[in-house]
Amino acid sequence: MVYPDTFTGFQVSGPAPAEKLDFTKQEYKPKPFEDYDVDIKIEACGICGSDLHTISGGWGKQHFPLCVGHEIIGTAIRVGPKVTLIKEGSRVGVGAQSYSCLDCRQCKNDNETYCVHQRDTYGALWESTGIVSQGGYSSHVRAHEHWVFPIPDALTSVQAAPMLCAGLTAYSPLVRNGAGKGKKVGIVGMGGIGHFGVLFSVALGAETWVISRSHAKEADAMKMGATGFLATQDKEWNEAHKMTFDLIINTANSLEGFDLGAYLSLLDVHGRFISVGLPEGSGAEVRAQDLLGNGCLIGASHLGSRREVWGESVVL
Amino acid sequence: MVYPDTFTGFQVSGPAPAEKLDFTKQEYKPKPFEDYDVDIKIEACGICGSDLHTISGGWGKQHFPLCVGHEIIGTAIRVGPKVTLIKEGSRVGVGAQSYSCLDCRQCKNDNETYCVHQRDTYGALWESTGIVSQGGYSSHVRAHEHWVFPIPDALTSVQAAPMLCAGLTAYSPLVRNGAGKGKKVGIVGMGGIGHFGVLFSVALGAETWVISRSHAKEADAMKMGATGFLATQDKEWNEAHKMTFDLIINTANSLEGFDLGAYLSLLDVHGRFISVGLPEGSGAEVRAQDLLGNGCLIGASHLGSRREVWGESVVL
């Protein structure tokens, strides 16, 4: 069988450490095509840290076999009869989420990433059929139109792909927490999400500082428009900046050896430290005294809304 | 010697568990009287959990001997030549803080409780003289006028005293985090701070729920105007309220056995969990997954500003 009956993708059969992973090309049945669905023939797919956390088993039990990948660009080759947001033939992208009910309070308030009925692009069980959603290291992907985004011509597919997860994940907490002119923003970690954090924070007009373990990425950060760079390996790295940051976006992938108090001391009164990563293993210890000196807030952010990708509904 | 050369108060000589504390009546010299200072002859002083955390040594090293107490009501018997906020002879109150520089960015933005030069009513060292500030279980207290508040006639001294610390500590995070009509507010713990949290949240028009270990305080909560009561000892106590609270004020005195995730799951998207207590010992473990389901925020709040006590400067 081939499309539209089956999709073809690179799956792993079970959790394993990265060096032992065994990807094999497999055919599998997608969920049934519904009225609001869009089928996309895949052209490019970014590699996200989530992919590794998922197939390593670090995020806990998953449905296997599994094809990961959720920074997908391709062509909309079939649209359901009720689809209005996407035109057949257009270049589109799909990120980490592919479904939300669109009917609950969260969905109606641009918080559809927090919909309790939300389904991820890969690894989500469609209970009625027993089918598990499969990701973008594959021939095709099927997603609800709300989660399919037209891609502007100015961006190549390879540039656009990582924006679908990493880019949106960085952008949403910046705009939701007031990054812009007159604000001082820190980006912790300059990897997949972090480098978008720098680019977007600078573009929004905020004074943007990168906070990293070493100075290895300093030149890159400055090239991206950062105002400055703090390396936590330096003695008293945070001293000169205490109580000066309005917002810190934490993209760090690991909490090991993470001295949360040292980061929080950078925040101005009621400043915010928003994590967008989901590290494996245990959490960080938060001590009341680390929060009391500036009345700061610690939070997290999960992806971003369609409105944050596209403003009002747009058909390219 | 007597006032104004010395004040008389009940001091402890060093840290000890509550049952072994030895209060003795002592005379001590107050800090030098300065232009903006007010001397208060004390009539009443509330007992705050901070007093016990301090003299037990649970909050770490302190300056002893020490007289605690920072919910003080009395009469302003002497005002400095530059004092404009307080009239000699008026009934006034002093809370947990007695000094801030009034010149830094925090002070100029109604965040004077976060001034790095802030000094507590008791236990703070005045470096130039080596004198340690002493609290309200005493004859007199000396404080900067900014931290002295006129008390309205409608309140008895005994009613007003605990508002100076517990009351303000509960009120400030409620108003700073939007408690009011149409909002659902939870108050964790109904002790000294928590019962004010209930009263003020109800008065601000918020739907107010008390969250407590057992049902022991349920009748009291309802009498204070609470909409409902959740006892965490009940099975699935949080199930019916998940993602419905806008704000939770945590006044719990201990983090032992505290399942933070269960509380955070009560919050609506981007809802806030604000702690006002400063428990002894280690902090709570915060796991990214406990924050990601609703993008909630954890924070802390320290006392409240003069403006939150009195609106614009007021002379009674």
Side-chain angles (χ1 to χ4, degrees), chain A residues 10-313:
Chain A
F10 290 91
Q11 292 183 316
V12 293
S13 57
E19 65 279 10
K20 294 199 176 164
L21 281 166
D22 183 27
F23 289 88
T24 56
K25 196 170 169 183
Q26 303 287 349
E27 278 189 29
Y28 46 80
K29 274 181 80 74
K31 74 178 262 307
F33 192 82
E34 291 176 272
D35 288 354
Y36 288 99
D37 282 345
V38 178
D39 276 358
I40 297 150
K41 187 172 186 311
I42 297 175
E43 177 191 347
C45 183
I47 297 171
C48 177
S50 305
D51 301 343
L52 203 63
H53 288 299
T54 299
I55 57 183
S56 71
W59 277 354
K61 214 170 162 223
Q62 309 288 339
H63 299 286
F64 288 99
L66 186 63
C67 172
V68 294
H70 59 205
E71 298 180 333
I72 302 169
I73 304 288
T75 306
I77 56 173
R78 179 185 179 193
V79 303
K82 293 188 176 164
V83 166
T84 62
L85 302 174
I86 301 295
K87 275 191 187 153
E88 204 178 296
S90 59
R91 191 169 60 135
V92 295
V94 171
Q97 187 170 339
S98 284
Y99 180 79
S100 49
C101 78
L102 302 183
D103 198 38
C104 69
R105 193 161 46 94
Q106 279 72 39
C107 283
K108 288 180 174 165
N109 286 296
D110 294 312
N111 289 320
E112 64 267 37
T113 56
Y114 303 101
C115 169
V116 296
H117 305 290
Q118 73 104 13
R119 283 196 181 82
D120 288 341
T121 295
Y122 61 74
L125 179 69
W126 291 89
E127 290 84 356
S128 59
T129 59
I131 287 173
V132 173
S133 63
Q134 303 290 318
Y137 304 145
S138 61
S139 63
H140 302 80
V141 70
R142 178 167 291 167
H144 188 287
E145 64 163 346
H146 184 87
W147 294 97
V148 180
F149 308 108
I151 303 297
D153 292 339
L155 290 171
T156 67
S157 294
V158 168
Q159 285 169 333
M163 292 190 187
L164 273 301
C165 177
L168 182 53
T169 297
Y171 181 72
S172 175
L174 284 168
V175 294
R176 289 191 179 208
N177 292 287
K181 280 201 174 57
K183 298 298 173 87
K184 184 171 176 181
V185 172
I187 306 290
V188 178
M190 212 177 75
I193 302 174
H195 86 282
F196 278 121
V198 177
L199 292 170
F200 291 144
S201 178
V202 169
L204 286 163
E207 178 187 334
T208 305
W209 290 68
V210 172
I211 305 171
S212 190
R213 289 184 203 249
S214 76
H215 287 275
K217 297 178 180 173
E218 182 159 2
D220 279 350
M222 303 313 283
K223 212 154 56 180
M224 289 186 210
T227 300
F229 192 96
L230 302 175
T232 61
Q233 70 181 23
D234 292 346
K235 214 175 149 184
E236 302 191 335
W237 66 271
N238 60 345
E239 274 305 318
H241 294 270
K242 281 187 173 173
M243 288 187 95
T244 65
F245 280 84
D246 298 288
L247 172 64
I248 296 176
I249 304 291
N250 172 34
T251 75
N253 193 37
S254 164
L255 292 177
E256 223 178 303
F258 205 86
D259 179 2
L260 189 55
Y263 292 83
L264 298 181
S265 72
L266 294 172
L267 290 169
D268 197 6
V269 174
H270 304 324
R272 299 180 186 191
F273 181 90
I274 308 293
S275 289
V276 296
L278 179 54
E280 299 178 10
S282 62
E285 190 191 357
V286 176
R287 303 178 310 159
Q289 51 267 51
D290 289 337
L291 303 171
L292 269 179
N294 51 12
C296 66
L297 296 152
I298 296 174
S301 173
H302 180 214
L303 274 176
S305 68
R306 182 178 179 90
R307 189 186 293 265
E308 281 159 351
V309 180
W310 258 118
E312 295 303 319
S313 303

Side-chain angles (χ1 to χ4, degrees), chain A residues 105 268 272 283 285 298, chain B residues 105 268 270 272 283 285 298:
Chain A
R105 193 161 46 94
D268 197 6
R272 299 180 186 191
E285 190 191 357
I298 296 174
Chain B
R105 192 161 46 95
D268 197 5
H270 303 324
R272 297 179 188 192
E285 191 191 358
I298 297 175

